[in-house]
Amino acid sequence: MHRIELQPAFVVHARPYRDTSFLVDCFTPDHGRVCAVARGVRRGKNNQRSLLNPFIPLLISLQGKSSLKLLTGIETSGHRLDLVGTRLFSGLYLNELLLRVLSEWDSCPDLFRHYTEALGELACEVDVELVLRRFEKHLLQELGYGIDWRCDADTGQLLKPDAWYRLDTQSGFIPVGAAGLANTYSGACLMDIASDQYALPDTKRVAKHISRALLRPLLGEQPLKSRQLFL
């Protein structure tokens, strides 16, 4: 029987299971996304139920022979991050991304670190757009869908601030002759995004547009429910 002891984790999704239990999707550094049964937590005043919420740093223990494990232990390893308003919606968006695009049992310690940092930044006064776009870039890189934000895909030369480029989601940014074509972006704007500089509203708009284009093949046609919260 496979056992996992005291693995750092965050709950990204939980739903009722049978009469008294929950099915819980957790994000962990060593095992990626894992799904486990939290048995009996809906019965009476179970102390563990309050821990099966997002944004609480946890240590979890699991066991079982199949990919669906039994949650045998859960405890906090820090205080719940207090997210409200747009920052709460943004945290739920990050969780839905992980739930939709991460395969189970794929180790991703770097992405776990970036996720933890992103939640901490959302709980502070860091620009939400910066937090989301930076995490999306890390997520795409982890999944093998990252692109080079600093060089053009044709020649490998550094992007030029006065040049214009179109996005090829498979290879990166391709130089085009002039502005005005659909889905073209200025080199200056792309260079700002590469450096995580989002002071200009146009930079934020372009960064969101490109991130959605890159994530679309991974997400498919089903829309993200968390995006509707921003409307």
Side-chain angles (χ1 to χ4, degrees):
M1 181 175 293
H2 188 200
R3 294 178 181 271
I4 299 170
E5 298 291 341
L6 298 178
Q7 174 73 191
F10 284 91
V11 170
V12 296
H13 189 250
R15 56 202 181 279
Y17 179 67
R18 295 182 176 172
D19 292 334
T20 62
S21 303
F22 271 113
L23 274 181
V24 186
D25 285 283
C26 295
F27 181 40
T28 71
D30 294 340
H31 308 284
R33 182 173 65 86
V34 299
C35 188
V37 177
R39 187 178 293 167
V41 293
R42 295 166 60 203
R43 183 189 300 119
K45 296 181 179 180
N46 190 291
N47 294 329
Q48 291 186 341
R49 182 169 182 171
S50 63
L51 300 181
L52 300 178
N53 284 298
F55 318 132
I56 304 175
L58 301 171
L59 294 173
I60 63 172
S61 298
L62 308 165
Q63 70 176 35
K65 295 181 179 179
S66 68
S67 60
L68 179 61
K69 304 298 183 188
L70 177 65
L71 184 68
T72 57
I74 180 171
E75 60 186 77
T76 59
S77 62
H79 296 292
R80 179 176 182 174
L81 297 165
D82 187 20
L83 305 182
V84 296
T86 300
R87 295 179 181 273
L88 171 62
F89 302 156
S90 299
L92 294 175
Y93 167 71
L94 297 186
N95 284 357
E96 191 173 9
L97 277 183
L98 294 175
L99 187 66
R100 290 277 296 273
V101 306
L102 282 189
S103 299
E104 288 188 89
W105 301 102
D106 281 346
S107 174
C108 44
D110 288 342
L111 185 62
F112 185 86
R113 174 173 57 83
H114 290 306
Y115 172 79
T116 303
E117 291 173 354
L119 292 186
E121 290 170 342
L122 288 176
C124 300
E125 296 301 319
V126 180
D127 186 341
V128 168
E129 294 287 337
L130 169 61
V131 176
L132 297 186
R133 302 294 87 79
R134 188 160 53 191
F135 181 79
E136 287 165 346
K137 284 197 288 186
H138 290 310
L139 176 62
L140 287 162
Q141 194 68 38
E142 178 74 28
L143 297 174
Y145 286 81
I147 59 172
D148 190 338
W149 287 83
R150 298 183 181 277
C151 298
D152 81 56
D154 273 354
T155 67
Q157 294 181 349
L158 292 174
L159 300 184
K160 300 175 181 179
D162 57 348
W164 291 83
Y165 302 86
R166 66 175 177 85
L167 173 67
D168 183 303
T169 57
Q170 299 296 316
S171 58
F173 297 107
I174 310 295
V176 295
L181 300 176
N183 298 324
T184 57
Y185 313 102
S186 73
C189 185
L190 297 178
M191 292 167 68
D192 281 345
I193 297 171
S195 301
D196 289 328
Q197 301 297 319
Y198 297 96
L200 299 177
D202 192 51
T203 305
K204 293 181 178 180
R205 179 187 60 80
V206 168
K208 181 183 290 186
H209 186 270
I210 293 174
S211 287
R212 290 195 174 188
L214 294 172
L215 286 166
R216 192 172 296 121
L218 299 173
L219 294 170
E221 297 301 320
Q222 183 179 354
L224 289 168
K225 295 179 180 179
S226 54
R227 281 182 180 164
Q228 300 171 13
L229 299 173
F230 292 91
L231 300 178

